[in-house]
Amino acid sequence: MSYSTLLVDIDDHGVAVVTINRPDKLNALNADVIRELGHWFEGAASEERVKGVLLTGAGPKSFVAGADISRFKGLGPIEGKKFAEYGQSVFNQIEGLGKPVIAVVNGFALGGGSELALACHMRVASTNAIFGQPEVNLGILPGYGGTQRLPRLVGKGLATELVLTGAMINADRAYAIGLVNHVFEPDELMEGAKKLLMTILSKAPIAVSLCLEALRAADLPQTEGLRHEAALFGQACATEDFQEGVDAFLNKRKPDFKGR
Ligand code: COA
């Protein structure tokens, strides 16, 4: 399928760069963007060529400046709930991809843009990045997961302040509170993100996928999460890559992981 709002480039290492391409609207999430993201990530789960994803926005100014506000005009309670549920389902798909997804935040990450970055497994930002949940300025609340993922990442106190005030924070502040993993100069951002992803892709792929699943279970009560972790650990022990990793260590050589 060809996309009207996404640019996709997959290199020989399996790094897919997915770019939301509405720079004239600061890459705001209209219905097409959400639908196309859902379609692409659904396919990417089983697409052999895709090993990991860098998700970014087109242009130098914005990652995603939020849901497209023109969609809100006349939105009633029933459609509003459906709007939130659909966006949440697409963002859940991103979080549950089973392959690492890094948000490459090259400017504004506001509202749904911040929530999109939160649904990715990690975030790297350029020095000009601005994060915020300004929904209260429009008389609504974050509806694409922000009230749930932000407190889990930065703590409830800070998340409450950000959501209730709509304050915008810069990249340094986002780094200080653990919202982003690394900050790069704008012209080094994509390279820095790719380096981080390539480090992950050099590891045993099934183990990486199981790690992502186990980390996702950190949202569960701890006893349940630990049960989950033990089951996933058992699964990892059934892989050839586990045998290879242990053998390589004991024989002082580099492992050659096959993803089996
Ligand atoms: N939805 C729809 N259009 C948006 C948008 C959004 N969330 N964010 C930006 N745009 C559009 C603007 O309307 C403008 O379009 P136009 O040129 O046709 O008028 C274009 O993108 C450029 O934005 P502009 O406001 O001119 O840029 P700026 O540098 O002056 O301001 C922002 C940048 C991000 C501060 C400002 O665009 C803004 O506040 N956007 C809304 C952020 C928001 O509330 N997001 C959460 C939504 S729930």
Side-chain angles (χ1 to χ4, degrees), residues 15-138:
V15 174
V17 178
V18 177
T19 306
I20 296 170
N21 189 29
R22 298 186 72 213
D24 54 324
K25 296 290 179 193
L26 304 186
N27 306 315
L29 303 172
N30 64 7
D32 289 341
V33 178
I34 294 289
R35 191 178 53 252
E36 292 187 359
L37 279 174
H39 184 274
W40 189 82
F41 274 93
E42 190 182 349
S46 56
E47 171 56 75
E48 281 286 314
R49 282 187 314 145
V50 175
K51 310 288 186 206
V53 182
L54 301 177
L55 181 60
T56 194
K61 192 170 162 181
S62 183
F63 172 68
V64 168
D68 192 314
I69 295 170
S70 63
R71 299 174 73 193
F72 291 151
K73 204 150 171 32
L75 197 72
I78 308 242
E79 302 81 32
K81 182 162 177 269
K82 281 194 181 143
F83 168 94
E85 284 171 347
Y86 182 51
Q88 286 178 6
S89 73
V90 170
F91 286 17
N92 284 343
Q93 222 169 359
I94 295 173
E95 193 179 44
L97 182 68
K99 303 171 187 183
V101 183
I102 301 176
V104 183
V105 181
N106 54 318
F108 292 113
L110 302 175
S114 165
E115 292 170 297
L116 179 60
L118 287 165
C120 297
H121 302 119
M122 283 178 284
R123 288 142 293 283
V124 299
S126 58
T127 49
N128 69 328
I130 300 280
F131 288 82
Q133 299 289 164
E135 288 87 348
V136 281
N137 297 325
L138 299 171

